Amino acid sequence: MLPVRRQPRRALLGVAVVAAAAAVGVPVATQADGETQVITEVRPAQLVPKSKARPAPTASASSLSQTAPSVINSGPTGRVALTGPWRVKTDRYDTGSSKGYQSGAFDGRAVTLPYSPNARTLTGNAGVESHRGTVAWYRTSFAVQKAGDYRLRFESVNHRATVYLDGRKIGTHVGEYLPFEFLVGLKAGVEHELVVKADWRGPLRMKREGWHRTWFNFGGINREVTLRPVGDSELTAPTINTRLQPDGSAKVDITVHAKNRIDSRALGVIGVLRRGDERYELDFPDLVVPRRGTKILYAQVTVPKPALWEPGSPNLYDLELGVPGESGYVQKVGLRQVQRDGTKLLLNGKRVELHGASIHEDAKGRGDAVTGPDMDALVEDLKSIGANATRAQHPLHPALLERLDAAGILLWMGVGPVDAPGAWTSRGPRLLAQAKSRVRASYFQAQPHPSLIVWNLVNEIAGNGHPAGQVPYIQSMSAELKRRDPGRLVALDIWGAHPPKVAGPVYRNIDAIGDTNYIGWYELTKAPRQTVRNAIRTHITDLQKIFPDKIMVVTEFGAEANDLNPTNRPGGFRFQADLLRLHLDEYAKIENLSGALVWNLRDFAVAPSFAGGSIRKQVPEIRIVKGINQKGLFEYAGRRKRSADVVQGAITRALARTAAGAGG
């Protein structure tokens, strides 16, 4: 690992952490005073002498507060996780500020992070109240061995976060599944009091402000909090792109944001890409970076005989970047090439189809505040059905991305706003800018992960989209992502019941179409099986005519199942298994269909008012558990349904057909 530079003590700073991506609109935490930086993308070499290094502070575990290694393995060096113990206290009437809670003057329940206070109350009248949200205050204490500047980073807080350090407000942030951080100055050997107010009241208000969700309103600090020392330079947001060459070698393009925190100078970033005994030095330009400025540095290396990343062979390399004696960044990366060949999806030059089930970060009793073991269990469930791919409606936890990388499971991931089918609430200039910023934040956080092969910009767009907000958002961000990230596809999930009659300009920069297909569930529920088969085939072939030059994947299909209904009736376990078998059998017969992803891997929590949707019009007698979407192949508590065996068998056959076709 590259060394971390050390720096002497500084006083507490009231300045904002403006991430290196700020110049392109990435959302950042808001603080009282602003810190500005200039970003320039530079590629040509400009060698100048390297500057001398000064020591930076080190973070350490304190007797007052437990710390642990970050659950996320990749990232800036020197991080420790502030896991706890924390104290958390709910504040139903939002009176904590008047009582001095911001200074830590409250008792509460002892917890470790991540922790969602309302994750155990999901259904019934209590679940309705829980979903409406409340306010909770978190506090913990920690100390560092050396004084100096540190980055205090939050991976996610739902929904409005206000952060205090030693009684002083250092900033705010709005929105979940988006990281934010603050630059703070800490004293050595002093107990620092960290307080976070999390406010997740008002799902309807969130929706109006562009933060709609299709899952339960879990509140609080739902991902980890870390602290890391900061020296005179910082390295962030690396990107990687692999291009396979005719001779079998791979050209690997790598960028990194390099920030200089002191007087104008050359940083002298170095790097290495290695795997086992292989080692490839990265030749970054030795560039002059102005004071408090950031430049995006570029290097290219040729790997003669790359160990490629792909399902079944998820080879990973270590990417290590650093400014000697100052800053470092480590990342596990995979060398792989994703391409579109007409309507075919290619991985490393070979056709690949996506087979598996979608996932939600939701563990019973913890909600979306998932732990390492929870993420391991999700991946094991995917493996148990033989999945080579999965899908998520929202940006996944970086630690879960790392697990998908290691498992060789491909990911179709939603970024930006999530709305109900056919809806779009991010209208107007402010919300449009917010939507774009969310995509950029997810791009900079997730780009290095090889498992992520598709950026999905919209969940269930209807027709040619809403001209007020949605269309300009898609047109702008699809073009930007294709420019920034040529090694991935850009997709839209369409509302299968309301596709366009003719694909309009909104689809111009789109590589892949995800289809939501609930034939046999929300429509033709009680129809004869052959009628359902014919409707499925007609639906897909019609879509292929509308989108003749796009990759087509069925990204959502399924049926609810629980033990409250007769097994062979809608809502029963056998009915679900039979309908999934019917869909998968038909998809296997359709040429140029690039896969099918069941909705969903596991049952998960939704708004307590949800009672199955329009299925009640088709089957008035059906019994649905309000507040739990039961379309999973596994129950909320983890028990496997009979449908999982059906899907596993279908995936095994589908992957065998693909392999046989590639061999032929």
Side-chain angles (χ1 to χ4, degrees), residues 4 43 64 202 220 223 290 293 302 370 383 422 434 440 473 507 512 547 555 582 602 608 612 646 648:
V4 178
R43 297 198 176 198
L64 301 170
R223 289 181 182 173
T302 298
V370 293
K383 288 180 178 179
Q434 175 181 276
R440 293 176 184 128
Y473 158 76
Y507 296 97
F547 301 104
T555 49
L582 188 153
R602 288 184 178 181
V646 169
Q648 181 181 356

PDB file of all heavy atoms in Angstrom, residues 4 43 64 202 220 223 290 293 302 370 383 422 434 440 473 507 512 547 555 582 602 608 612 646 648:
ATOM      1  N   VAL A   4       0.876   7.222   3.405  1.00  0.00           N
ATOM      2  CA  VAL A   4       0.033   8.396   3.589  1.00  0.00           C
ATOM      3  C   VAL A   4       0.872   9.510   4.192  1.00  0.00           C
ATOM      4  O   VAL A   4       1.567   9.316   5.172  1.00  0.00           O
ATOM      5  CB  VAL A   4      -1.160   8.083   4.523  1.00  0.00           C
ATOM      6  CG1 VAL A   4      -1.993   9.322   4.754  1.00  0.00           C
ATOM      7  CG2 VAL A   4      -2.003   6.978   3.924  1.00  0.00           C
ATOM      8  N   ARG A  43      -4.161  15.817 -19.865  1.00  0.00           N
ATOM      9  CA  ARG A  43      -3.555  14.556 -20.271  1.00  0.00           C
ATOM     10  C   ARG A  43      -2.090  14.677 -20.637  1.00  0.00           C
ATOM     11  O   ARG A  43      -1.324  13.789 -20.334  1.00  0.00           O
ATOM     12  CB  ARG A  43      -4.348  13.932 -21.413  1.00  0.00           C
ATOM     13  CG  ARG A  43      -5.768  13.580 -20.988  1.00  0.00           C
ATOM     14  CD  ARG A  43      -6.430  12.610 -21.906  1.00  0.00           C
ATOM     15  NE  ARG A  43      -7.745  12.235 -21.400  1.00  0.00           N
ATOM     16  CZ  ARG A  43      -8.402  11.167 -21.809  1.00  0.00           C
ATOM     17  NH1 ARG A  43      -7.892  10.385 -22.719  1.00  0.00           N
ATOM     18  NH2 ARG A  43      -9.581  10.881 -21.309  1.00  0.00           N
ATOM     19  N   LEU A  64     -12.899   6.112  24.243  1.00  0.00           N
ATOM     20  CA  LEU A  64     -14.242   6.657  24.393  1.00  0.00           C
ATOM     21  C   LEU A  64     -15.204   6.146  23.332  1.00  0.00           C
ATOM     22  O   LEU A  64     -16.401   6.166  23.508  1.00  0.00           O
ATOM     23  CB  LEU A  64     -14.186   8.186  24.323  1.00  0.00           C
ATOM     24  CG  LEU A  64     -13.295   8.858  25.378  1.00  0.00           C
ATOM     25  CD1 LEU A  64     -13.127  10.328  25.056  1.00  0.00           C
ATOM     26  CD2 LEU A  64     -13.868   8.671  26.766  1.00  0.00           C
ATOM     27  N   GLY A 202     -42.247  12.922   6.224  1.00  0.00           N
ATOM     28  CA  GLY A 202     -42.954  13.399   5.048  1.00  0.00           C
ATOM     29  C   GLY A 202     -42.582  12.775   3.727  1.00  0.00           C
ATOM     30  O   GLY A 202     -42.012  13.454   2.870  1.00  0.00           O
ATOM     31  N   GLY A 220     -32.694   7.436   9.175  1.00  0.00           N
ATOM     32  CA  GLY A 220     -31.486   7.438   9.983  1.00  0.00           C
ATOM     33  C   GLY A 220     -30.207   7.247   9.200  1.00  0.00           C
ATOM     34  O   GLY A 220     -30.170   7.384   7.969  1.00  0.00           O
ATOM     35  N   ARG A 223     -25.900   3.913   6.260  1.00  0.00           N
ATOM     36  CA  ARG A 223     -24.632   3.369   5.801  1.00  0.00           C
ATOM     37  C   ARG A 223     -23.524   3.891   6.712  1.00  0.00           C
ATOM     38  O   ARG A 223     -23.785   4.715   7.582  1.00  0.00           O
ATOM     39  CB  ARG A 223     -24.371   3.718   4.325  1.00  0.00           C
ATOM     40  CG  ARG A 223     -25.284   2.965   3.368  1.00  0.00           C
ATOM     41  CD  ARG A 223     -25.019   3.285   1.898  1.00  0.00           C
ATOM     42  NE  ARG A 223     -25.957   2.566   1.039  1.00  0.00           N
ATOM     43  CZ  ARG A 223     -26.076   2.743  -0.275  1.00  0.00           C
ATOM     44  NH1 ARG A 223     -25.286   3.625  -0.903  1.00  0.00           N
ATOM     45  NH2 ARG A 223     -26.949   2.048  -0.977  1.00  0.00           N
ATOM     46  N   PRO A 290      -2.826  24.257  -8.972  1.00  0.00           N
ATOM     47  CA  PRO A 290      -2.887  25.475  -8.173  1.00  0.00           C
ATOM     48  C   PRO A 290      -3.365  25.210  -6.750  1.00  0.00           C
ATOM     49  O   PRO A 290      -3.930  24.156  -6.449  1.00  0.00           O
ATOM     50  CB  PRO A 290      -3.892  26.341  -8.938  1.00  0.00           C
ATOM     51  CG  PRO A 290      -4.722  25.378  -9.708  1.00  0.00           C
ATOM     52  CD  PRO A 290      -3.800  24.246 -10.066  1.00  0.00           C
ATOM     53  N   GLY A 293      -6.745  23.650  -5.809  1.00  0.00           N
ATOM     54  CA  GLY A 293      -7.272  23.250  -7.105  1.00  0.00           C
ATOM     55  C   GLY A 293      -7.221  21.744  -7.278  1.00  0.00           C
ATOM     56  O   GLY A 293      -6.561  21.028  -6.519  1.00  0.00           O
ATOM     57  N   THR A 302      -0.654  -0.801 -20.947  1.00  0.00           N
ATOM     58  CA  THR A 302      -1.005  -1.974 -21.742  1.00  0.00           C
ATOM     59  C   THR A 302      -0.690  -3.231 -20.945  1.00  0.00           C
ATOM     60  O   THR A 302       0.430  -3.403 -20.454  1.00  0.00           O
ATOM     61  CB  THR A 302      -0.233  -1.998 -23.068  1.00  0.00           C
ATOM     62  OG1 THR A 302      -0.590  -0.836 -23.832  1.00  0.00           O
ATOM     63  CG2 THR A 302      -0.574  -3.244 -23.878  1.00  0.00           C
ATOM     64  N   VAL A 370     -28.101  -2.143   6.048  1.00  0.00           N
ATOM     65  CA  VAL A 370     -27.598  -3.509   5.952  1.00  0.00           C
ATOM     66  C   VAL A 370     -26.149  -3.590   6.414  1.00  0.00           C
ATOM     67  O   VAL A 370     -25.356  -2.660   6.233  1.00  0.00           O
ATOM     68  CB  VAL A 370     -27.739  -4.059   4.522  1.00  0.00           C
ATOM     69  CG1 VAL A 370     -29.205  -4.238   4.159  1.00  0.00           C
ATOM     70  CG2 VAL A 370     -27.059  -3.162   3.493  1.00  0.00           C
ATOM     71  N   LYS A 383     -26.300 -16.444  -5.827  1.00  0.00           N
ATOM     72  CA  LYS A 383     -25.524 -17.609  -6.258  1.00  0.00           C
ATOM     73  C   LYS A 383     -26.367 -18.873  -6.217  1.00  0.00           C
ATOM     74  O   LYS A 383     -26.250 -19.752  -7.087  1.00  0.00           O
ATOM     75  CB  LYS A 383     -24.295 -17.784  -5.370  1.00  0.00           C
ATOM     76  CG  LYS A 383     -23.198 -16.758  -5.564  1.00  0.00           C
ATOM     77  CD  LYS A 383     -22.048 -17.073  -4.620  1.00  0.00           C
ATOM     78  CE  LYS A 383     -20.881 -16.143  -4.774  1.00  0.00           C
ATOM     79  NZ  LYS A 383     -19.792 -16.470  -3.807  1.00  0.00           N
ATOM     80  N   GLY A 422     -44.523   5.439 -15.006  1.00  0.00           N
ATOM     81  CA  GLY A 422     -45.078   6.482 -15.848  1.00  0.00           C
ATOM     82  C   GLY A 422     -45.030   7.879 -15.274  1.00  0.00           C
ATOM     83  O   GLY A 422     -45.379   8.845 -15.963  1.00  0.00           O
ATOM     84  N   GLN A 434     -30.873  18.858  -9.786  1.00  0.00           N
ATOM     85  CA  GLN A 434     -30.699  17.891  -8.705  1.00  0.00           C
ATOM     86  C   GLN A 434     -30.639  16.470  -9.251  1.00  0.00           C
ATOM     87  O   GLN A 434     -29.808  15.653  -8.819  1.00  0.00           O
ATOM     88  CB  GLN A 434     -31.864  18.028  -7.721  1.00  0.00           C
ATOM     89  CG  GLN A 434     -31.886  16.995  -6.605  1.00  0.00           C
ATOM     90  CD  GLN A 434     -33.083  17.205  -5.691  1.00  0.00           C
ATOM     91  OE1 GLN A 434     -33.032  18.014  -4.783  1.00  0.00           O
ATOM     92  NE2 GLN A 434     -34.174  16.474  -5.948  1.00  0.00           N
ATOM     93  N   ARG A 440     -24.407  12.005 -11.407  1.00  0.00           N
ATOM     94  CA  ARG A 440     -22.962  12.234 -11.396  1.00  0.00           C
ATOM     95  C   ARG A 440     -22.332  11.728 -10.108  1.00  0.00           C
ATOM     96  O   ARG A 440     -21.238  11.156 -10.117  1.00  0.00           O
ATOM     97  CB  ARG A 440     -22.678  13.716 -11.598  1.00  0.00           C
ATOM     98  CG  ARG A 440     -23.060  14.211 -12.986  1.00  0.00           C
ATOM     99  CD  ARG A 440     -22.853  15.703 -13.128  1.00  0.00           C
ATOM    100  NE  ARG A 440     -23.306  16.177 -14.431  1.00  0.00           N
ATOM    101  CZ  ARG A 440     -24.137  17.191 -14.616  1.00  0.00           C
ATOM    102  NH1 ARG A 440     -24.597  17.874 -13.571  1.00  0.00           N
ATOM    103  NH2 ARG A 440     -24.496  17.549 -15.834  1.00  0.00           N
ATOM    104  N   TYR A 473     -33.674  15.567 -19.020  1.00  0.00           N
ATOM    105  CA  TYR A 473     -32.799  14.819 -18.104  1.00  0.00           C
ATOM    106  C   TYR A 473     -32.186  13.617 -18.809  1.00  0.00           C
ATOM    107  O   TYR A 473     -30.973  13.395 -18.776  1.00  0.00           O
ATOM    108  CB  TYR A 473     -33.603  14.396 -16.878  1.00  0.00           C
ATOM    109  CG  TYR A 473     -33.042  13.214 -16.122  1.00  0.00           C
ATOM    110  CD1 TYR A 473     -31.932  13.344 -15.301  1.00  0.00           C
ATOM    111  CD2 TYR A 473     -33.647  11.956 -16.232  1.00  0.00           C
ATOM    112  CE1 TYR A 473     -31.429  12.251 -14.602  1.00  0.00           C
ATOM    113  CE2 TYR A 473     -33.156  10.863 -15.540  1.00  0.00           C
ATOM    114  CZ  TYR A 473     -32.047  11.014 -14.729  1.00  0.00           C
ATOM    115  OH  TYR A 473     -31.543   9.926 -14.046  1.00  0.00           O
ATOM    116  N   TYR A 507     -34.837   8.319 -26.805  1.00  0.00           N
ATOM    117  CA  TYR A 507     -34.119   7.036 -26.830  1.00  0.00           C
ATOM    118  C   TYR A 507     -32.849   7.078 -27.697  1.00  0.00           C
ATOM    119  O   TYR A 507     -32.189   6.053 -27.865  1.00  0.00           O
ATOM    120  CB  TYR A 507     -35.041   5.930 -27.357  1.00  0.00           C
ATOM    121  CG  TYR A 507     -36.242   5.663 -26.468  1.00  0.00           C
ATOM    122  CD1 TYR A 507     -37.481   6.244 -26.749  1.00  0.00           C
ATOM    123  CD2 TYR A 507     -36.140   4.837 -25.359  1.00  0.00           C
ATOM    124  CE1 TYR A 507     -38.584   6.005 -25.937  1.00  0.00           C
ATOM    125  CE2 TYR A 507     -37.241   4.596 -24.546  1.00  0.00           C
ATOM    126  CZ  TYR A 507     -38.459   5.182 -24.835  1.00  0.00           C
ATOM    127  OH  TYR A 507     -39.544   4.940 -24.030  1.00  0.00           O
ATOM    128  N   ALA A 512     -29.766   0.125 -24.264  1.00  0.00           N
ATOM    129  CA  ALA A 512     -30.534  -1.051 -23.854  1.00  0.00           C
ATOM    130  C   ALA A 512     -31.883  -0.640 -23.285  1.00  0.00           C
ATOM    131  O   ALA A 512     -32.016   0.395 -22.619  1.00  0.00           O
ATOM    132  CB  ALA A 512     -29.746  -1.851 -22.818  1.00  0.00           C
ATOM    133  N   PHE A 547     -38.076  -0.990 -31.004  1.00  0.00           N
ATOM    134  CA  PHE A 547     -36.668  -0.714 -30.711  1.00  0.00           C
ATOM    135  C   PHE A 547     -35.782  -1.704 -31.480  1.00  0.00           C
ATOM    136  O   PHE A 547     -35.122  -2.557 -30.878  1.00  0.00           O
ATOM    137  CB  PHE A 547     -36.402  -0.844 -29.216  1.00  0.00           C
ATOM    138  CG  PHE A 547     -37.229   0.073 -28.357  1.00  0.00           C
ATOM    139  CD1 PHE A 547     -38.313  -0.414 -27.636  1.00  0.00           C
ATOM    140  CD2 PHE A 547     -36.923   1.423 -28.268  1.00  0.00           C
ATOM    141  CE1 PHE A 547     -39.068   0.424 -26.831  1.00  0.00           C
ATOM    142  CE2 PHE A 547     -37.672   2.275 -27.469  1.00  0.00           C
ATOM    143  CZ  PHE A 547     -38.753   1.777 -26.751  1.00  0.00           C
ATOM    144  N   THR A 555     -36.554  -6.787 -17.504  1.00  0.00           N
ATOM    145  CA  THR A 555     -35.939  -6.459 -16.218  1.00  0.00           C
ATOM    146  C   THR A 555     -36.904  -6.536 -15.042  1.00  0.00           C
ATOM    147  O   THR A 555     -36.488  -6.323 -13.897  1.00  0.00           O
ATOM    148  CB  THR A 555     -35.326  -5.051 -16.271  1.00  0.00           C
ATOM    149  OG1 THR A 555     -36.282  -4.131 -16.817  1.00  0.00           O
ATOM    150  CG2 THR A 555     -34.072  -5.042 -17.134  1.00  0.00           C
ATOM    151  N   LEU A 582     -43.519 -20.208 -16.935  1.00  0.00           N
ATOM    152  CA  LEU A 582     -44.121 -19.889 -18.228  1.00  0.00           C
ATOM    153  C   LEU A 582     -43.371 -18.726 -18.890  1.00  0.00           C
ATOM    154  O   LEU A 582     -43.026 -18.790 -20.072  1.00  0.00           O
ATOM    155  CB  LEU A 582     -45.598 -19.557 -18.012  1.00  0.00           C
ATOM    156  CG  LEU A 582     -46.499 -19.367 -19.229  1.00  0.00           C
ATOM    157  CD1 LEU A 582     -47.945 -19.710 -18.864  1.00  0.00           C
ATOM    158  CD2 LEU A 582     -46.435 -17.933 -19.731  1.00  0.00           C
ATOM    159  N   ARG A 602     -35.825 -11.190  -3.097  1.00  0.00           N
ATOM    160  CA  ARG A 602     -36.433 -11.348  -1.776  1.00  0.00           C
ATOM    161  C   ARG A 602     -37.647 -10.441  -1.637  1.00  0.00           C
ATOM    162  O   ARG A 602     -37.722  -9.384  -2.246  1.00  0.00           O
ATOM    163  CB  ARG A 602     -35.443 -10.965  -0.673  1.00  0.00           C
ATOM    164  CG  ARG A 602     -34.309 -11.929  -0.442  1.00  0.00           C
ATOM    165  CD  ARG A 602     -33.499 -11.425   0.735  1.00  0.00           C
ATOM    166  NE  ARG A 602     -32.400 -12.293   1.090  1.00  0.00           N
ATOM    167  CZ  ARG A 602     -31.576 -12.051   2.101  1.00  0.00           C
ATOM    168  NH1 ARG A 602     -31.741 -10.965   2.834  1.00  0.00           N
ATOM    169  NH2 ARG A 602     -30.585 -12.886   2.382  1.00  0.00           N
ATOM    170  N   PRO A 608     -46.823   0.988   3.844  1.00  0.00           N
ATOM    171  CA  PRO A 608     -47.843   0.126   4.464  1.00  0.00           C
ATOM    172  C   PRO A 608     -49.209   0.214   3.810  1.00  0.00           C
ATOM    173  O   PRO A 608     -50.072  -0.630   4.069  1.00  0.00           O
ATOM    174  CB  PRO A 608     -47.893   0.647   5.910  1.00  0.00           C
ATOM    175  CG  PRO A 608     -46.574   1.289   6.126  1.00  0.00           C
ATOM    176  CD  PRO A 608     -46.212   1.909   4.811  1.00  0.00           C
ATOM    177  N   GLY A 612     -50.707  -4.757  -2.896  1.00  0.00           N
ATOM    178  CA  GLY A 612     -50.634  -5.565  -4.098  1.00  0.00           C
ATOM    179  C   GLY A 612     -50.894  -4.827  -5.380  1.00  0.00           C
ATOM    180  O   GLY A 612     -50.748  -5.399  -6.464  1.00  0.00           O
ATOM    181  N   VAL A 646     -37.562 -23.189  -9.552  1.00  0.00           N
ATOM    182  CA  VAL A 646     -37.946 -23.031 -10.961  1.00  0.00           C
ATOM    183  C   VAL A 646     -36.989 -22.079 -11.665  1.00  0.00           C
ATOM    184  O   VAL A 646     -36.495 -22.357 -12.764  1.00  0.00           O
ATOM    185  CB  VAL A 646     -39.396 -22.515 -11.063  1.00  0.00           C
ATOM    186  CG1 VAL A 646     -39.724 -22.092 -12.489  1.00  0.00           C
ATOM    187  CG2 VAL A 646     -40.380 -23.577 -10.588  1.00  0.00           C
ATOM    188  N   GLN A 648     -33.949 -21.219 -10.750  1.00  0.00           N
ATOM    189  CA  GLN A 648     -32.611 -21.807 -10.803  1.00  0.00           C
ATOM    190  C   GLN A 648     -32.475 -22.755 -11.991  1.00  0.00           C
ATOM    191  O   GLN A 648     -31.483 -22.720 -12.729  1.00  0.00           O
ATOM    192  CB  GLN A 648     -32.314 -22.549  -9.502  1.00  0.00           C
ATOM    193  CG  GLN A 648     -30.921 -23.177  -9.466  1.00  0.00           C
ATOM    194  CD  GLN A 648     -30.662 -23.940  -8.176  1.00  0.00           C
ATOM    195  OE1 GLN A 648     -31.495 -23.943  -7.260  1.00  0.00           O
ATOM    196  NE2 GLN A 648     -29.520 -24.589  -8.082  1.00  0.00           N
TER     197      GLN A 648
END
